[in-house]
């Protein structure tokens, strides 16, 4: 079974702190994604990556950056955390093969910025 | 702009009945659409994918339809059980990034 793990389930940070959220997948997937999920807004794509060192902006990249130095690991960075970044963050991965578009999600990190 | 709409109100049904959830999309024609299940505090889990040239897809007690004329997908759970209680997310592919666009989900509550 595909396994996607996230470094923390819960995180509390202060405004202005730099925050790192880590995601690791064990299925050799090419594609990895970071979403945030907020009540009434659903999942919104922040960034995604097609390959090592490749990254593409999603729908709401402002205030975030990402890093993919190894195929299995995709990191989301909040350069200077703000209270409006309090949210549930979900990482996902998928294969790049045609017909294999299923996304596999991690358990999520609930981030609170005070 | 592309928009995905799912009924934001919770759907309450009795155990054993068929649950039907609706997903409407506007302003585009997705090549395929996926349905996911999400339990509280957890990440979504993939259930079914249906392509634009498929009218219907089944998996055990689940059935998905895809009407490209109505721009709508219906998700059915037959013989529903309390364990089916969860939020169900519709996700057509599309948008500027040609990635999945997730609806806000519909909460299904199956009463014993």
């Amino acid at each position: 079974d595909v396994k996607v793990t996230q470094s923390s389930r819960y995180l509390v940070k202060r405004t202005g702190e730099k925050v790192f959220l880590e995601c690791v997948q064990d299925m050799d997937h090419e594609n990895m994604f970071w979403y945030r999920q907020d009540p009434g807004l659903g999942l919104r794509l922040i960034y995604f990556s097609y390959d090592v060192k490749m990254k593409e902006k999603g729908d709401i990249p402002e205030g975030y950056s990402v890093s993919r130095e190894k195929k299995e690991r995709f990191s989301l960075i909040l350069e200077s955390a703000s209270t409006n970044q309090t949210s549930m963050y979900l990482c996902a991965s998928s294969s790049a093969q045609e017909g294999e578009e299923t996304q596999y999600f991690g358990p999520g990190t609930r981030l609170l910025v005070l | 702009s592309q928009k995905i709409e799912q009924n934001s109100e919770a759907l309450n049904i009795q155990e054993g009945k068929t649950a039907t959830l609706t997903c409407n999309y506007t302003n585009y024609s997705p090549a395929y659409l996926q349905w996911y299940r999400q339990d509280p505090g957890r990440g979504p889990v993939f259930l079914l994918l249906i392509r634009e040239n498929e009218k219907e897809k089944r998996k055990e007690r689940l059935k998905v339809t895809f009407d490209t004329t109505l721009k709508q997908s219906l998700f059915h759970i037959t013989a529903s059980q309390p364990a089916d209680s969860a939020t169900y997310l519709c996700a057509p592919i599309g948008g500027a990034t040609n990635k999945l666009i997730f609806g806000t989900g519909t909460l299904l509550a199956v009463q014993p």
Side-chain angles (χ1 to χ4, degrees):
Chain A
D1 279 351
V2 175
K3 193 164 184 186
V4 179
T5 56
Q6 296 183 227
S7 50
S8 307
R9 291 302 306 274
Y10 301 95
L11 213 49
V12 180
K13 295 292 180 182
R14 297 224 172 260
T15 302
E17 279 193 78
K18 191 167 186 175
V19 182
F20 293 87
L21 302 182
E22 303 282 337
C23 175
V24 178
Q25 50 95 3
D26 67 357
M27 275 301 290
D28 203 36
H29 283 166
E30 293 80 9
N31 301 327
M32 294 190 76
F33 309 84
W34 273 107
Y35 295 90
R36 65 177 282 177
Q37 186 173 31
D38 301 286
L41 296 177
L43 274 83
R44 293 180 290 167
L45 182 62
I46 304 171
Y47 267 96
F48 61 98
S49 169
Y50 288 116
D51 201 349
V52 177
K53 297 195 187 295
M54 303 291 288
K55 61 184 179 184
E56 296 284 344
K57 291 181 180 178
D59 299 314
I60 50 163
E62 296 78 20
Y64 302 95
S65 62
V66 290
S67 171
R68 194 162 180 204
E69 296 296 316
K70 293 185 178 182
K71 190 174 185 180
E72 68 271 17
R73 189 180 297 269
F74 192 35
S75 303
L76 179 69
I77 302 149
L78 285 66
E79 295 290 342
S80 177
S82 63
T83 55
N84 63 12
Q85 292 179 309
T86 291
S87 187
M88 169 73 110
Y89 290 87
L90 289 156
C91 173
S93 72
S94 71
S95 169
Q97 288 183 24
E98 185 92 16
E100 298 291 332
E101 297 92 347
T102 299
Q103 291 193 17
Y104 297 87
F105 283 84
T109 295
R110 193 167 290 282
L111 173 67
L112 172 63
V113 182
L114 300 174
Chain B
S1 63
Q2 296 162 351
K3 197 174 176 183
I4 315 301
E5 288 184 344
Q6 293 186 256
N7 194 340
S8 57
E9 292 183 11
L11 178 64
N12 292 285
I13 65 165
Q14 212 56 35
E15 183 175 6
K17 301 290 186 185
T18 296
T20 298
L21 286 68
T22 304
C23 174
N24 295 299
Y25 55 92
T26 54
N27 295 328
Y28 78 121
S29 299
Y32 63 82
L33 182 150
Q34 299 185 14
W35 283 89
Y36 287 76
R37 168 185 172 139
Q38 186 174 23
D39 291 287
R42 294 180 176 271
V45 175
F46 171 77
L47 296 174
L48 282 166
L49 180 153
I50 187 164
R51 300 188 187 278
E52 60 182 341
N53 61 347
E54 300 173 310
K55 295 294 182 189
E56 183 179 296
K57 202 86 168 273
R58 291 176 185 260
K59 179 183 174 183
E60 298 171 353
R61 294 185 295 109
L62 308 181
K63 184 178 85 170
V64 172
T65 62
F66 196 6
D67 189 326
T68 55
T69 302
L70 290 179
K71 294 188 180 293
Q72 181 181 79
S73 175
L74 298 179
F75 178 83
H76 307 270
I77 305 176
T78 57
S80 59
Q81 305 164 0
D84 295 326
S85 299
T87 296
Y88 291 86
L89 306 172
C90 162
I93 189 165
T97 56
N98 199 34
K99 293 298 170 193
L100 295 181
I101 304 175
F102 284 84
T104 53
T106 298
L107 176 62
L108 173 66
V110 182
Q111 311 296 333

